[in-house]
Amino acid sequence: MQDEPKRSDLPEDEQAPSADIPEAEQATPEPAEEEDEFVPSRELIDQIREAIDEEDPARLDELLEPMHAADIADVIENLSAARRRTFMSLWSGEIDGDILSEIDESIRDEIVELMPKSALADAVREMDSDDIVELIEELDEPEQQKVLDALDESDRAAVEQSLTYPEYSAGRMMQSEVVTAPEHWTVGETIDYLRNEDEHLPDQFYHVILVDPRRHPVGYVALGRLLSARRATPMRDITEDSFRPIDAFANEADVAYAFNQYHLISTPVVDEHDRLVGVITIDDAMEVLDDEHEEDILRLAGVGDESSISDTVVETLWQRLPWLGVNLATAILASFVIAMFEATISQIVALAVLMPIVASMGGNAGTQTLTVAVRALATKSLTGSNVWRVVAREAVVGVLNGLCFAVVMGVVAWIWFDGINLAGVIAIAMVVNLFVAALAGILVPLTLERVGADPALASGTFVTTVTDVVGFFAFLGLAQMVLL
Amino acid sequence: MQDEPKRSDLPEDEQAPSADIPEAEQATPEPAEEEDEFVPSRELIDQIREAIDEEDPARLDELLEPMHAADIADVIENLSAARRRTFMSLWSGEIDGDILSEIDESIRDEIVELMPKSALADAVREMDSDDIVELIEELDEPEQQKVLDALDESDRAAVEQSLTYPEYSAGRMMQSEVVTAPEHWTVGETIDYLRNEDEHLPDQFYHVILVDPRRHPVGYVALGRLLSARRATPMRDITEDSFRPIDAFANEADVAYAFNQYHLISTPVVDEHDRLVGVITIDDAMEVLDDEHEEDILRLAGVGDESSISDTVVETLWQRLPWLGVNLATAILASFVIAMFEATISQIVALAVLMPIVASMGGNAGTQTLTVAVRALATKSLTGSNVWRVVAREAVVGVLNGLCFAVVMGVVAWIWFDGINLAGVIAIAMVVNLFVAALAGILVPLTLERVGADPALASGTFVTTVTDVVGFFAFLGLAQMVLL
């Protein structure tokens, strides 16, 4: 390997000598991400904008033609609203199923509305039923009808069946296009069948599902096994261990968890009579996993979980205001606690200087515990069987953290304000608040989970309210008792 | 569909009458998650603990035998350290490759150390090279050597090659077991070859990669297409559009992004000479995506990103202390600002009551913006081409938020403390701080990204430091000017 040139665009038979290439140069490849290779380049995007501004559809075609559908969708999302409108008048006829299914929810209505009927019909005709369902469920009524009208009979039936399942269920994630074989078939029979069905097979499939005469799935065979087995082998003999059909009513987050936990690639979906109604593939599960994470992280920060980088000012404002409003209410609550000690503060102003430190440390420690707890709940690693051990651990860590920072802060306060009593007060308040922060950080999400709410939702606000109130109360209350 | 019984364990030919089953009961399926179906039940875990405490290996076998490897690994992780030791002395011989590769990093050393050499050799022999690499890279030196010694010649070579690539690179994610075919083969030749190679094929594979004589990948064929095509079809004619080989030095986060963005299932990995060295499959990409999210969310909260629910008190303390220490330093910095205005506060104690509100609102608004920005950077939707539009949007939203809460807080302060000037001061401070919060929330992560740091790391602390300092300074400074 060492004696081959780095560039491989030499003619195949020309083995260039390499003794003059220094060793170090060979060992260090160019870093892969100097220019981020997975994102359309800045220049390309500028050229696309130019083509739009010059209303030049031919140029637009030429620029977009080599791009992947997902990247084209990203480009469309990132256009300003005015440019997007021009873009659609120039290019809407070219939007195919692949692009359409990649378009972000926030602008789907707009895009579908602007697409000519015939282009929409062409686009949806190439889409698998799960992608159509995903497209449709976020649309407003008139655009929804427009898409349904564009479908042919059998697709519409499949989509409408999917839509009978609750939102965020496996039934909504699945595609109804499945590849099945009777359970008694051999490998040879199955392969012959697949060759004849070529036209009607889904774009991507990874297993052949074996069904009994009542269409109950009884096992599945990976295509790799199917290809490598002898023709006479009964399909039943080469099924995979990982087979686990999923209830169409199962929650999509649980489905994503199962894919991740059990390394599934595709899995059959069954209705309430245990009959096969569809199949979920890993790319859909990966998308759900991604969405769930996004939701957790945004909710923890108190941002509407539908937020996207292409939102307008008004949409953004609307997502942020409610949580800031809640935060204002809780901040005022904490102020009431401070107001209870106005007389004390007016005598010892040092208290006003130091009190935000106690509150801030509590808020931070609480958020740490909270985040770990929310993640552990989301990954199902915080369960009934270890919950008390984890709560106890957090409480102990809270006290130990408190002791550490009590010492540090005690010394700081002592030096700064030259008061041993003040130092003692802040030290004790620190231990109390960090202990309470740990308990709040773990018990708030656990309680939310127990009552069936999302543990990420609003729990940050609950926790910091607790740590602010307790922090101010412990510090100022102790100060009033000890220092006056 | 309506006239079939709900339970499907009746003999196949026995169509039970169903007129007496009320319609409602048929229409409402049992909710799928009453007992969480994807997590081992509480009772099962209690039984496993009992079997360990009674040192009963036969009972342990019986309980664990039907469980999925991933669930067994979870059970092992959640045992207390003492019980885990007993468990290993009873059952370590039974730990196979599937279980071993699912064991969390935090206890891998312990498990590998306690496994008898022969069991370890058996376990690693069934593992694909990517799983062995993943196992090995987190182990301490002696356990690493123990695993390498257990491998046979060819596996060891593959693993050692993988380890020459940098940590977190595609080279570390890939498995070296690949299924290739010469580019000029037909479908029939490929299928015959696969049938003969049955023994040597990887457990799971989804594409046959076409290579030229110098082992450069030139395309790939999905197994579904291979199965449904005629035997005489040239492989070249049925390759997939999605083909995009990945550089072995590419960052794993970029690889995960590519899988998610382009709906890949598996993708070839090439070395610096563009030669095929391995393949990455979607389950590994999904794991990386999961880890990246976890890292983001934990870093945003200032928790060490290696943290896990099975950590001990000491490990947990160690992860949390550094960030709390940083927070203490920044909180003290903010206190210095307050201390500058001690004289003012001692005259108007209301300032001490109200100042945490200004700081808190700034911190929250900043965290909202920050979280959205960090997510957008992680998903590559905040790029050079839209960055100024997003910064401008955040700034405008910051000012508008500020105006809203300026009005609310002005009224509250006016009523509470009966001072129109105080109301004016807090209103102006609110607008200033929420505007600064928005700018800090977007510019801090952008700057970190630009200098090559992780935008999630420590940016929360930066942002709240800015909002605390600005909040206290604007409010108290204005108060000093206006009210005294």
Side-chain angles (χ1 to χ4, degrees), chain B residues 21-22 31 42 64 77 134 143 159 180 185 215 223 253 259 302 391 398 403 430 448 469:
Chain B
I21 299 177
R42 180 98 194 235
L64 296 177
E77 284 158 30
E134 215 198 309
E143 281 75 35
V159 168
T180 59
W185 273 13
R215 220 176 152 72
L223 299 188
F259 269 83
V391 171
L403 289 172
M430 195 70 95
L448 286 170
V469 168

mmCIF file with all atom_site columns, all heavy atoms in Angstrom, chain B residues 21-22 31 42 64 77 134 143 159 180 185 215 223 253 259 302 391 398 403 430 448 469:
data_model
loop_
_atom_site.group_PDB
_atom_site.id
_atom_site.type_symbol
_atom_site.label_atom_id
_atom_site.label_alt_id
_atom_site.label_comp_id
_atom_site.label_asym_id
_atom_site.label_entity_id
_atom_site.label_seq_id
_atom_site.pdbx_PDB_ins_code
_atom_site.Cartn_x
_atom_site.Cartn_y
_atom_site.Cartn_z
_atom_site.occupancy
_atom_site.B_iso_or_equiv
_atom_site.pdbx_formal_charge
_atom_site.auth_seq_id
_atom_site.auth_comp_id
_atom_site.auth_asym_id
_atom_site.auth_atom_id
_atom_site.pdbx_PDB_model_num
ATOM 1   N N   . ILE B 1 21  ? -69.912 -10.313 19.969  1.00 0.00 ? 21  ILE B N   1
ATOM 2   C CA  . ILE B 1 21  ? -68.868 -9.414  20.481  1.00 0.00 ? 21  ILE B CA  1
ATOM 3   C C   . ILE B 1 21  ? -69.295 -7.986  20.213  1.00 0.00 ? 21  ILE B C   1
ATOM 4   O O   . ILE B 1 21  ? -69.506 -7.618  19.059  1.00 0.00 ? 21  ILE B O   1
ATOM 5   C CB  . ILE B 1 21  ? -67.506 -9.681  19.807  1.00 0.00 ? 21  ILE B CB  1
ATOM 6   C CG1 . ILE B 1 21  ? -67.078 -11.115 20.117  1.00 0.00 ? 21  ILE B CG1 1
ATOM 7   C CG2 . ILE B 1 21  ? -66.455 -8.696  20.264  1.00 0.00 ? 21  ILE B CG2 1
ATOM 8   C CD1 . ILE B 1 21  ? -65.789 -11.509 19.436  1.00 0.00 ? 21  ILE B CD1 1
ATOM 9   N N   . PRO B 1 22  ? -69.463 -7.179  21.248  1.00 0.00 ? 22  PRO B N   1
ATOM 10  C CA  . PRO B 1 22  ? -69.948 -5.813  21.009  1.00 0.00 ? 22  PRO B CA  1
ATOM 11  C C   . PRO B 1 22  ? -68.978 -5.051  20.102  1.00 0.00 ? 22  PRO B C   1
ATOM 12  O O   . PRO B 1 22  ? -67.769 -5.227  20.205  1.00 0.00 ? 22  PRO B O   1
ATOM 13  C CB  . PRO B 1 22  ? -69.963 -5.183  22.406  1.00 0.00 ? 22  PRO B CB  1
ATOM 14  C CG  . PRO B 1 22  ? -69.720 -6.294  23.384  1.00 0.00 ? 22  PRO B CG  1
ATOM 15  C CD  . PRO B 1 22  ? -69.124 -7.432  22.631  1.00 0.00 ? 22  PRO B CD  1
ATOM 16  N N   . PRO B 1 31  ? -54.510 -0.695  24.699  1.00 0.00 ? 31  PRO B N   1
ATOM 17  C CA  . PRO B 1 31  ? -53.375 0.198   24.467  1.00 0.00 ? 31  PRO B CA  1
ATOM 18  C C   . PRO B 1 31  ? -52.085 -0.603  24.537  1.00 0.00 ? 31  PRO B C   1
ATOM 19  O O   . PRO B 1 31  ? -51.949 -1.519  25.355  1.00 0.00 ? 31  PRO B O   1
ATOM 20  C CB  . PRO B 1 31  ? -53.460 1.203   25.619  1.00 0.00 ? 31  PRO B CB  1
ATOM 21  C CG  . PRO B 1 31  ? -54.400 0.619   26.613  1.00 0.00 ? 31  PRO B CG  1
ATOM 22  C CD  . PRO B 1 31  ? -55.259 -0.366  25.902  1.00 0.00 ? 31  PRO B CD  1
ATOM 23  N N   . ARG B 1 42  ? -40.581 -5.490  35.856  1.00 0.00 ? 42  ARG B N   1
ATOM 24  C CA  . ARG B 1 42  ? -40.089 -5.357  37.218  1.00 0.00 ? 42  ARG B CA  1
ATOM 25  C C   . ARG B 1 42  ? -39.942 -6.725  37.888  1.00 0.00 ? 42  ARG B C   1
ATOM 26  O O   . ARG B 1 42  ? -38.941 -7.013  38.535  1.00 0.00 ? 42  ARG B O   1
ATOM 27  C CB  . ARG B 1 42  ? -41.115 -4.490  37.968  1.00 0.00 ? 42  ARG B CB  1
ATOM 28  C CG  . ARG B 1 42  ? -40.794 -4.230  39.396  1.00 0.00 ? 42  ARG B CG  1
ATOM 29  C CD  . ARG B 1 42  ? -40.148 -2.870  39.494  1.00 0.00 ? 42  ARG B CD  1
ATOM 30  N NE  . ARG B 1 42  ? -39.538 -2.731  40.791  1.00 0.00 ? 42  ARG B NE  1
ATOM 31  C CZ  . ARG B 1 42  ? -39.796 -1.733  41.633  1.00 0.00 ? 42  ARG B CZ  1
ATOM 32  N NH1 . ARG B 1 42  ? -40.638 -0.787  41.296  1.00 0.00 ? 42  ARG B NH1 1
ATOM 33  N NH2 . ARG B 1 42  ? -39.192 -1.665  42.797  1.00 0.00 ? 42  ARG B NH2 1
ATOM 34  N N   . LEU B 1 64  ? -32.773 -15.815 31.852  1.00 0.00 ? 64  LEU B N   1
ATOM 35  C CA  . LEU B 1 64  ? -32.141 -14.969 30.827  1.00 0.00 ? 64  LEU B CA  1
ATOM 36  C C   . LEU B 1 64  ? -32.263 -15.568 29.426  1.00 0.00 ? 64  LEU B C   1
ATOM 37  O O   . LEU B 1 64  ? -32.199 -14.844 28.437  1.00 0.00 ? 64  LEU B O   1
ATOM 38  C CB  . LEU B 1 64  ? -30.659 -14.745 31.170  1.00 0.00 ? 64  LEU B CB  1
ATOM 39  C CG  . LEU B 1 64  ? -30.411 -13.962 32.469  1.00 0.00 ? 64  LEU B CG  1
ATOM 40  C CD1 . LEU B 1 64  ? -28.914 -13.868 32.757  1.00 0.00 ? 64  LEU B CD1 1
ATOM 41  C CD2 . LEU B 1 64  ? -30.998 -12.558 32.378  1.00 0.00 ? 64  LEU B CD2 1
ATOM 42  N N   . GLU B 1 77  ? -26.122 -3.912  33.433  1.00 0.00 ? 77  GLU B N   1
ATOM 43  C CA  . GLU B 1 77  ? -25.738 -2.536  33.764  1.00 0.00 ? 77  GLU B CA  1
ATOM 44  C C   . GLU B 1 77  ? -26.433 -2.037  35.028  1.00 0.00 ? 77  GLU B C   1
ATOM 45  O O   . GLU B 1 77  ? -25.871 -1.272  35.799  1.00 0.00 ? 77  GLU B O   1
ATOM 46  C CB  . GLU B 1 77  ? -26.098 -1.590  32.616  1.00 0.00 ? 77  GLU B CB  1
ATOM 47  C CG  . GLU B 1 77  ? -25.146 -1.684  31.452  1.00 0.00 ? 77  GLU B CG  1
ATOM 48  C CD  . GLU B 1 77  ? -25.788 -1.178  30.162  1.00 0.00 ? 77  GLU B CD  1
ATOM 49  O OE1 . GLU B 1 77  ? -26.656 -0.297  30.223  1.00 0.00 ? 77  GLU B OE1 1
ATOM 50  O OE2 . GLU B 1 77  ? -25.420 -1.691  29.085  1.00 0.00 ? 77  GLU B OE2 1
ATOM 51  N N   . GLU B 1 134 ? -15.443 -1.230  18.449  1.00 0.00 ? 134 GLU B N   1
ATOM 52  C CA  . GLU B 1 134 ? -16.169 -0.416  19.412  1.00 0.00 ? 134 GLU B CA  1
ATOM 53  C C   . GLU B 1 134 ? -15.925 -0.915  20.834  1.00 0.00 ? 134 GLU B C   1
ATOM 54  O O   . GLU B 1 134 ? -15.793 -0.129  21.770  1.00 0.00 ? 134 GLU B O   1
ATOM 55  C CB  . GLU B 1 134 ? -17.656 -0.494  19.085  1.00 0.00 ? 134 GLU B CB  1
ATOM 56  C CG  . GLU B 1 134 ? -18.394 0.789   19.360  1.00 0.00 ? 134 GLU B CG  1
ATOM 57  C CD  . GLU B 1 134 ? -19.872 0.539   19.453  1.00 0.00 ? 134 GLU B CD  1
ATOM 58  O OE1 . GLU B 1 134 ? -20.421 -0.094  18.524  1.00 0.00 ? 134 GLU B OE1 1
ATOM 59  O OE2 . GLU B 1 134 ? -20.471 0.944   20.452  1.00 0.00 ? 134 GLU B OE2 1
ATOM 60  N N   . GLU B 1 143 ? -7.072  -5.152  29.276  1.00 0.00 ? 143 GLU B N   1
ATOM 61  C CA  . GLU B 1 143 ? -8.276  -5.790  28.733  1.00 0.00 ? 143 GLU B CA  1
ATOM 62  C C   . GLU B 1 143 ? -8.255  -5.743  27.199  1.00 0.00 ? 143 GLU B C   1
ATOM 63  O O   . GLU B 1 143 ? -8.697  -6.668  26.533  1.00 0.00 ? 143 GLU B O   1
ATOM 64  C CB  . GLU B 1 143 ? -9.544  -5.109  29.258  1.00 0.00 ? 143 GLU B CB  1
ATOM 65  C CG  . GLU B 1 143 ? -9.938  -5.511  30.672  1.00 0.00 ? 143 GLU B CG  1
ATOM 66  C CD  . GLU B 1 143 ? -9.040  -4.869  31.716  1.00 0.00 ? 143 GLU B CD  1
ATOM 67  O OE1 . GLU B 1 143 ? -8.627  -3.715  31.489  1.00 0.00 ? 143 GLU B OE1 1
ATOM 68  O OE2 . GLU B 1 143 ? -8.728  -5.527  32.723  1.00 0.00 ? 143 GLU B OE2 1
ATOM 69  N N   . VAL B 1 159 ? -9.312  -5.578  12.721  1.00 0.00 ? 159 VAL B N   1
ATOM 70  C CA  . VAL B 1 159 ? -9.505  -4.689  13.869  1.00 0.00 ? 159 VAL B CA  1
ATOM 71  C C   . VAL B 1 159 ? -8.339  -3.715  13.979  1.00 0.00 ? 159 VAL B C   1
ATOM 72  O O   . VAL B 1 159 ? -8.530  -2.515  14.175  1.00 0.00 ? 159 VAL B O   1
ATOM 73  C CB  . VAL B 1 159 ? -9.647  -5.512  15.168  1.00 0.00 ? 159 VAL B CB  1
ATOM 74  C CG1 . VAL B 1 159 ? -9.545  -4.616  16.396  1.00 0.00 ? 159 VAL B CG1 1
ATOM 75  C CG2 . VAL B 1 159 ? -10.963 -6.269  15.165  1.00 0.00 ? 159 VAL B CG2 1
ATOM 76  N N   . THR B 1 180 ? -18.663 -8.027  -2.110  1.00 0.00 ? 180 THR B N   1
ATOM 77  C CA  . THR B 1 180 ? -18.360 -7.328  -3.358  1.00 0.00 ? 180 THR B CA  1
ATOM 78  C C   . THR B 1 180 ? -18.539 -8.250  -4.550  1.00 0.00 ? 180 THR B C   1
ATOM 79  O O   . THR B 1 180 ? -18.578 -9.477  -4.415  1.00 0.00 ? 180 THR B O   1
ATOM 80  C CB  . THR B 1 180 ? -16.886 -6.852  -3.380  1.00 0.00 ? 180 THR B CB  1
ATOM 81  O OG1 . THR B 1 180 ? -16.048 -8.001  -3.240  1.00 0.00 ? 180 THR B OG1 1
ATOM 82  C CG2 . THR B 1 180 ? -16.617 -5.881  -2.256  1.00 0.00 ? 180 THR B CG2 1
ATOM 83  N N   . TRP B 1 185 ? -19.927 -8.460  -13.618 1.00 0.00 ? 185 TRP B N   1
ATOM 84  C CA  . TRP B 1 185 ? -20.760 -9.638  -13.391 1.00 0.00 ? 185 TRP B CA  1
ATOM 85  C C   . TRP B 1 185 ? -22.227 -9.396  -13.715 1.00 0.00 ? 185 TRP B C   1
ATOM 86  O O   . TRP B 1 185 ? -22.712 -8.271  -13.710 1.00 0.00 ? 185 TRP B O   1
ATOM 87  C CB  . TRP B 1 185 ? -20.652 -10.074 -11.925 1.00 0.00 ? 185 TRP B CB  1
ATOM 88  C CG  . TRP B 1 185 ? -19.488 -10.997 -11.676 1.00 0.00 ? 185 TRP B CG  1
ATOM 89  C CD1 . TRP B 1 185 ? -18.450 -11.242 -12.518 1.00 0.00 ? 185 TRP B CD1 1
ATOM 90  C CD2 . TRP B 1 185 ? -19.263 -11.765 -10.505 1.00 0.00 ? 185 TRP B CD2 1
ATOM 91  N NE1 . TRP B 1 185 ? -17.584 -12.132 -11.943 1.00 0.00 ? 185 TRP B NE1 1
ATOM 92  C CE2 . TRP B 1 185 ? -18.051 -12.467 -10.701 1.00 0.00 ? 185 TRP B CE2 1
ATOM 93  C CE3 . TRP B 1 185 ? -19.945 -11.948 -9.294  1.00 0.00 ? 185 TRP B CE3 1
ATOM 94  C CZ2 . TRP B 1 185 ? -17.525 -13.331 -9.742  1.00 0.00 ? 185 TRP B CZ2 1
ATOM 95  C CZ3 . TRP B 1 185 ? -19.423 -12.797 -8.335  1.00 0.00 ? 185 TRP B CZ3 1
ATOM 96  C CH2 . TRP B 1 185 ? -18.216 -13.490 -8.566  1.00 0.00 ? 185 TRP B CH2 1
ATOM 97  N N   . ARG B 1 215 ? -10.042 -2.477  -6.835  1.00 0.00 ? 215 ARG B N   1
ATOM 98  C CA  . ARG B 1 215 ? -10.884 -2.452  -5.649  1.00 0.00 ? 215 ARG B CA  1
ATOM 99  C C   . ARG B 1 215 ? -11.445 -1.059  -5.342  1.00 0.00 ? 215 ARG B C   1
ATOM 100 O O   . ARG B 1 215 ? -11.726 -0.716  -4.184  1.00 0.00 ? 215 ARG B O   1
ATOM 101 C CB  . ARG B 1 215 ? -10.115 -3.005  -4.438  1.00 0.00 ? 215 ARG B CB  1
ATOM 102 C CG  . ARG B 1 215 ? -10.999 -3.894  -3.565  1.00 0.00 ? 215 ARG B CG  1
ATOM 103 C CD  . ARG B 1 215 ? -10.265 -4.540  -2.415  1.00 0.00 ? 215 ARG B CD  1
ATOM 104 N NE  . ARG B 1 215 ? -11.174 -4.800  -1.292  1.00 0.00 ? 215 ARG B NE  1
ATOM 105 C CZ  . ARG B 1 215 ? -12.109 -5.733  -1.280  1.00 0.00 ? 215 ARG B CZ  1
ATOM 106 N NH1 . ARG B 1 215 ? -12.277 -6.530  -2.331  1.00 0.00 ? 215 ARG B NH1 1
ATOM 107 N NH2 . ARG B 1 215 ? -12.889 -5.899  -0.230  1.00 0.00 ? 215 ARG B NH2 1
ATOM 108 N N   . LEU B 1 223 ? -30.135 -5.574  -2.405  1.00 0.00 ? 223 LEU B N   1
ATOM 109 C CA  . LEU B 1 223 ? -30.482 -6.989  -2.513  1.00 0.00 ? 223 LEU B CA  1
ATOM 110 C C   . LEU B 1 223 ? -31.883 -7.194  -3.095  1.00 0.00 ? 223 LEU B C   1
ATOM 111 O O   . LEU B 1 223 ? -32.124 -8.159  -3.812  1.00 0.00 ? 223 LEU B O   1
ATOM 112 C CB  . LEU B 1 223 ? -30.391 -7.654  -1.142  1.00 0.00 ? 223 LEU B CB  1
ATOM 113 C CG  . LEU B 1 223 ? -29.002 -7.612  -0.490  1.00 0.00 ? 223 LEU B CG  1
ATOM 114 C CD1 . LEU B 1 223 ? -28.986 -8.468  0.758   1.00 0.00 ? 223 LEU B CD1 1
ATOM 115 C CD2 . LEU B 1 223 ? -27.917 -8.074  -1.451  1.00 0.00 ? 223 LEU B CD2 1
ATOM 116 N N   . ALA B 1 253 ? -19.932 12.063  12.994  1.00 0.00 ? 253 ALA B N   1
ATOM 117 C CA  . ALA B 1 253 ? -21.159 12.859  13.021  1.00 0.00 ? 253 ALA B CA  1
ATOM 118 C C   . ALA B 1 253 ? -21.612 13.191  11.602  1.00 0.00 ? 253 ALA B C   1
ATOM 119 O O   . ALA B 1 253 ? -22.812 13.186  11.309  1.00 0.00 ? 253 ALA B O   1
ATOM 120 C CB  . ALA B 1 253 ? -20.944 14.141  13.809  1.00 0.00 ? 253 ALA B CB  1
ATOM 121 N N   . PHE B 1 259 ? -26.335 9.547   6.470   1.00 0.00 ? 259 PHE B N   1
ATOM 122 C CA  . PHE B 1 259 ? -27.324 8.455   6.517   1.00 0.00 ? 259 PHE B CA  1
ATOM 123 C C   . PHE B 1 259 ? -28.728 9.007   6.687   1.00 0.00 ? 259 PHE B C   1
ATOM 124 O O   . PHE B 1 259 ? -29.668 8.580   6.025   1.00 0.00 ? 259 PHE B O   1
ATOM 125 C CB  . PHE B 1 259 ? -27.008 7.479   7.663   1.00 0.00 ? 259 PHE B CB  1
ATOM 126 C CG  . PHE B 1 259 ? -26.122 6.345   7.246   1.00 0.00 ? 259 PHE B CG  1
ATOM 127 C CD1 . PHE B 1 259 ? -24.748 6.501   7.201   1.00 0.00 ? 259 PHE B CD1 1
ATOM 128 C CD2 . PHE B 1 259 ? -26.663 5.115   6.888   1.00 0.00 ? 259 PHE B CD2 1
ATOM 129 C CE1 . PHE B 1 259 ? -23.928 5.457   6.802   1.00 0.00 ? 259 PHE B CE1 1
ATOM 130 C CE2 . PHE B 1 259 ? -25.849 4.066   6.484   1.00 0.00 ? 259 PHE B CE2 1
ATOM 131 C CZ  . PHE B 1 259 ? -24.475 4.238   6.439   1.00 0.00 ? 259 PHE B CZ  1
ATOM 132 N N   . GLY B 1 302 ? -24.285 21.268  30.955  1.00 0.00 ? 302 GLY B N   1
ATOM 133 C CA  . GLY B 1 302 ? -23.068 21.272  31.745  1.00 0.00 ? 302 GLY B CA  1
ATOM 134 C C   . GLY B 1 302 ? -22.858 19.986  32.517  1.00 0.00 ? 302 GLY B C   1
ATOM 135 O O   . GLY B 1 302 ? -22.484 19.986  33.680  1.00 0.00 ? 302 GLY B O   1
ATOM 136 N N   . VAL B 1 391 ? -29.595 35.430  12.339  1.00 0.00 ? 391 VAL B N   1
ATOM 137 C CA  . VAL B 1 391 ? -29.144 36.349  13.383  1.00 0.00 ? 391 VAL B CA  1
ATOM 138 C C   . VAL B 1 391 ? -30.083 37.548  13.456  1.00 0.00 ? 391 VAL B C   1
ATOM 139 O O   . VAL B 1 391 ? -30.516 37.961  14.537  1.00 0.00 ? 391 VAL B O   1
ATOM 140 C CB  . VAL B 1 391 ? -27.689 36.816  13.121  1.00 0.00 ? 391 VAL B CB  1
ATOM 141 C CG1 . VAL B 1 391 ? -27.310 37.943  14.078  1.00 0.00 ? 391 VAL B CG1 1
ATOM 142 C CG2 . VAL B 1 391 ? -26.723 35.652  13.270  1.00 0.00 ? 391 VAL B CG2 1
ATOM 143 N N   . GLY B 1 398 ? -35.733 39.162  19.837  1.00 0.00 ? 398 GLY B N   1
ATOM 144 C CA  . GLY B 1 398 ? -35.255 39.587  21.156  1.00 0.00 ? 398 GLY B CA  1
ATOM 145 C C   . GLY B 1 398 ? -35.839 40.935  21.552  1.00 0.00 ? 398 GLY B C   1
ATOM 146 O O   . GLY B 1 398 ? -36.342 41.098  22.665  1.00 0.00 ? 398 GLY B O   1
ATOM 147 N N   . LEU B 1 403 ? -39.852 44.100  24.461  1.00 0.00 ? 403 LEU B N   1
ATOM 148 C CA  . LEU B 1 403 ? -40.919 45.100  24.555  1.00 0.00 ? 403 LEU B CA  1
ATOM 149 C C   . LEU B 1 403 ? -42.134 44.531  25.280  1.00 0.00 ? 403 LEU B C   1
ATOM 150 O O   . LEU B 1 403 ? -42.716 45.176  26.140  1.00 0.00 ? 403 LEU B O   1
ATOM 151 C CB  . LEU B 1 403 ? -41.302 45.589  23.153  1.00 0.00 ? 403 LEU B CB  1
ATOM 152 C CG  . LEU B 1 403 ? -40.244 46.482  22.479  1.00 0.00 ? 403 LEU B CG  1
ATOM 153 C CD1 . LEU B 1 403 ? -40.617 46.770  21.027  1.00 0.00 ? 403 LEU B CD1 1
ATOM 154 C CD2 . LEU B 1 403 ? -40.067 47.794  23.247  1.00 0.00 ? 403 LEU B CD2 1
ATOM 155 N N   . MET B 1 430 ? -35.171 45.532  30.690  1.00 0.00 ? 430 MET B N   1
ATOM 156 C CA  . MET B 1 430 ? -35.707 44.296  30.119  1.00 0.00 ? 430 MET B CA  1
ATOM 157 C C   . MET B 1 430 ? -35.459 44.250  28.607  1.00 0.00 ? 430 MET B C   1
ATOM 158 O O   . MET B 1 430 ? -35.017 43.230  28.072  1.00 0.00 ? 430 MET B O   1
ATOM 159 C CB  . MET B 1 430 ? -37.214 44.229  30.416  1.00 0.00 ? 430 MET B CB  1
ATOM 160 C CG  . MET B 1 430 ? -37.833 42.884  30.205  1.00 0.00 ? 430 MET B CG  1
ATOM 161 S SD  . MET B 1 430 ? -37.281 41.678  31.454  1.00 0.00 ? 430 MET B SD  1
ATOM 162 C CE  . MET B 1 430 ? -38.593 41.810  32.648  1.00 0.00 ? 430 MET B CE  1
ATOM 163 N N   . LEU B 1 448 ? -18.170 29.592  18.540  1.00 0.00 ? 448 LEU B N   1
ATOM 164 C CA  . LEU B 1 448 ? -17.546 28.326  18.934  1.00 0.00 ? 448 LEU B CA  1
ATOM 165 C C   . LEU B 1 448 ? -17.400 27.408  17.718  1.00 0.00 ? 448 LEU B C   1
ATOM 166 O O   . LEU B 1 448 ? -16.361 26.780  17.514  1.00 0.00 ? 448 LEU B O   1
ATOM 167 C CB  . LEU B 1 448 ? -18.375 27.635  20.022  1.00 0.00 ? 448 LEU B CB  1
ATOM 168 C CG  . LEU B 1 448 ? -18.286 28.262  21.411  1.00 0.00 ? 448 LEU B CG  1
ATOM 169 C CD1 . LEU B 1 448 ? -19.314 27.661  22.353  1.00 0.00 ? 448 LEU B CD1 1
ATOM 170 C CD2 . LEU B 1 448 ? -16.886 28.053  21.990  1.00 0.00 ? 448 LEU B CD2 1
ATOM 171 N N   . VAL B 1 469 ? -24.653 39.563  33.743  1.00 0.00 ? 469 VAL B N   1
ATOM 172 C CA  . VAL B 1 469 ? -23.855 40.779  33.864  1.00 0.00 ? 469 VAL B CA  1
ATOM 173 C C   . VAL B 1 469 ? -24.589 41.963  33.230  1.00 0.00 ? 469 VAL B C   1
ATOM 174 O O   . VAL B 1 469 ? -24.743 43.025  33.847  1.00 0.00 ? 469 VAL B O   1
ATOM 175 C CB  . VAL B 1 469 ? -22.458 40.582  33.213  1.00 0.00 ? 469 VAL B CB  1
ATOM 176 C CG1 . VAL B 1 469 ? -21.739 41.915  33.069  1.00 0.00 ? 469 VAL B CG1 1
ATOM 177 C CG2 . VAL B 1 469 ? -21.635 39.607  34.048  1.00 0.00 ? 469 VAL B CG2 1
#
